[in-house]
Amino acid sequence: MECQIGVIAGDGIGPEIVTEARKVLDRVGSKYGHSFHYTDILMGGCSIDATGVPLTDEAIAAAKASDAVLMGSIGGNTSTSPWYKLPPDKRPEAGLLKLRKSLNLFANLRPAYLYEELKAACPLRDDIIGSGFDMMIMRELTGGLYFGERKTETVDGVVTATDTLTYSETEIRRIAKRGFDIAMKRRKKVTSVDKANVLDSSRLWRKIVEEVAKDYPEVTYEHMLVDNCAMQLVKDPKQFDVILTENMFGDILSDEASMVTGSIGMLSSASLNDTKFGLYEPSGGSAPDIAGKGIANPIATILSAAMMLRYSFDLDKEADAIESAVKQVLKEGYRTIDIMPQAGESTEGITKVGTARMGDLIAERV
Ligand code: NAD
């Protein structure tokens, strides 16, 4: 298979972690007979330095011309970097928002997977964790409360702020379909999360999800109220496969779910539109405090590349190979600094490695 991949290395640790993901992709390419062609795309602080803006029209065109985009991270130290003296719409993050909008990326996917070897980083009790959990939070990204009309006004002498939560059946249907498609590639269970006991937008959400579910007879689905879901995530996270939800609920639940898995350096993510195109990136930021030191954890970016293979290119076997290689490396005791055992835990059989070595070890085991 021939794949055109746009690569946004970005700022801070971005170039370091993206280099390792490319190393692993190249290994997959040579082992399974695929050609991955890369186009470098400037975005974020490095684009500001080179062009004066965080994202140029040429960069958007290059992203659109790619089959998928793999990204490191953008931004710098928000207190000291000159990028943050610029007006908000000229700062590094404005580039990412503009790119998401230009590519119509309405579905955000964040897996929350607990590795046996990193169980100690999970704040939940052993009896709750059991043999671990593996879920995917699917969040609608371009509608709802964050994009509705808002205003602050004085009503009868009292300052009053209003935000509106709007969803159309079209917006709900396209994210629901995506959610059920993803479930078909996993354990075939969807938990649709809403607040249908109170909100009209949630009642419509529930109705449309039920309609979409009819096209996926193999997928089991259930509805759950968001307040209950927040509790269930810490009470019994094993019950979830795909959690499908709207923008604000997803924002909160995805952070809660990722917190129970431990390190930020392990968390991949994807943002998809209604074609096979996706933007794949680690959930963490550009970590300016450790940039250039060769110690950043590249695993989240490598796992994002695996998601790209699975969801944009339908290369499930190859994605499995990367995920197994990551598990193997952890099992063999290799750790970057952020996932080293904490004080008081045993370091027997553990070897501390840097960014490039971690990339090599994973590539070798693909
Ligand atoms: P951050 O995620 O960059 O760092 C938080 C902490 O986690 C730091 O101590 C950092 O060293 C550590 N960390 C993050 N990724 C790591 C990795 N792969 N390996 C080891 N340790 C890792 O968050 P921040 O410091 O709040 O933000 C720094 C910059 O990143 C800001 O400019 C912010 O706007 C930007 N940011 C970008 C994105 C993105 O590109 N999508 C996301 C979040 C933050």
Side-chain angles (χ1 to χ4, degrees), residues 47 63 65 99 105 119 130 152 170 201 230 239 247 256 260 269 307 313 322 328 334 354:
S47 174
L99 185 69
L105 302 172
K119 259 176 156 175
T152 303
T170 318
S201 56
Q239 67 183 288
N247 203 343
E256 186 188 358
V260 294
S269 83
M307 289 181 84
F313 303 137
I322 297 181
Q328 183 60 28
Y334 295 104

Side-chain angles (χ1 to χ4, degrees), residues 73-277:
S73 51
I74 53 149
N77 184 313
T78 48
S79 314
T80 58
S81 165
W83 299 328
Y84 296 92
K85 306 259 183 306
L86 298 167
D89 64 335
K90 298 276 184 304
R91 292 180 191 174
E93 288 72 11
L96 182 55
L97 295 179
K98 191 173 169 189
L99 185 69
R100 285 188 179 142
K101 198 164 174 210
S102 311
L103 297 170
N104 193 24
L105 302 172
F106 63 83
N108 181 245
L109 283 176
R110 267 168 68 173
Y113 180 88
L114 185 67
Y115 289 88
E116 176 73 29
E117 292 73 22
L118 303 181
K119 259 176 156 175
C122 174
L124 303 179
R125 281 197 326 256
D126 270 356
D127 60 311
I128 294 174
I129 299 171
S131 55
F133 49 83
D134 175 8
M135 64 187 126
M136 182 72 84
I137 314 284
M138 178 107 191
R139 165 188 172 195
E140 202 290 327
L141 207 54
T142 56
L145 201 57
Y146 298 170
F147 290 88
E149 267 180 50
R150 67 189 82 250
K151 62 182 174 197
T152 303
E153 61 191 338
T154 302
V155 179
D156 298 333
V158 180
V159 180
T160 307
T162 308
D163 297 285
T164 44
L165 200 179
T166 305
Y167 268 109
S168 73
E169 57 179 315
T170 318
E171 288 172 305
I172 301 169
R173 187 165 283 111
R174 67 181 184 178
I175 183 88
K177 277 188 178 163
R178 272 294 185 167
F180 280 81
D181 284 341
I182 302 286
M184 286 296 289
K185 281 182 176 270
R186 295 174 47 94
R187 298 195 309 280
K188 300 190 174 62
K189 180 179 175 195
V190 169
T191 304
S192 173
V193 175
D194 60 38
K195 188 71 183 167
N197 53 344
V198 180
L199 302 174
D200 262 19
S201 56
S202 282
R203 284 189 276 269
L204 181 62
W205 180 278
R206 208 172 258 220
K207 177 173 173 279
I208 303 296
V209 167
E210 282 181 8
E211 284 174 19
V212 170
K214 290 194 183 109
D215 294 330
Y216 297 84
E218 286 176 62
V219 178
T220 317
Y221 77 98
E222 64 182 349
H223 300 289
M224 191 176 277
L225 294 175
V226 62
D227 38 350
N228 185 24
C229 184
M231 289 193 291
Q232 294 298 328
L233 275 172
V234 290
K235 189 168 168 252
D236 181 18
K238 293 187 292 297
Q239 67 183 288
F240 296 112
D241 180 17
V242 173
I243 293 182
L244 170 67
T245 192
E246 60 91 77
N247 203 343
M248 182 181 59
F249 297 158
D251 188 11
I252 299 166
L253 295 176
S254 61
D255 268 17
E256 186 188 358
S258 59
M259 185 59 224
V260 294
T261 66
S263 168
I264 187 100
M266 301 294 295
L267 299 170
S268 54
S269 83
S271 304
L272 312 174
N273 62 22
D274 47 13
T275 69
K276 279 281 171 191
F277 182 91

Side-chain angles (χ1 to χ4, degrees), residues 290-305:
I290 57 166
K293 294 186 179 161
I295 57 171
N297 186 349
I299 293 180
T301 319
I302 291 169
L303 292 172
S304 302

Side-chain angles (χ1 to χ4, degrees), residues 333 335 340-352:
R335 303 280 189 276
M340 283 294 284
Q342 304 294 304
E345 290 169 34
S346 166
T347 53
E348 204 188 319
I350 298 293
T351 311
K352 186 157 103 183

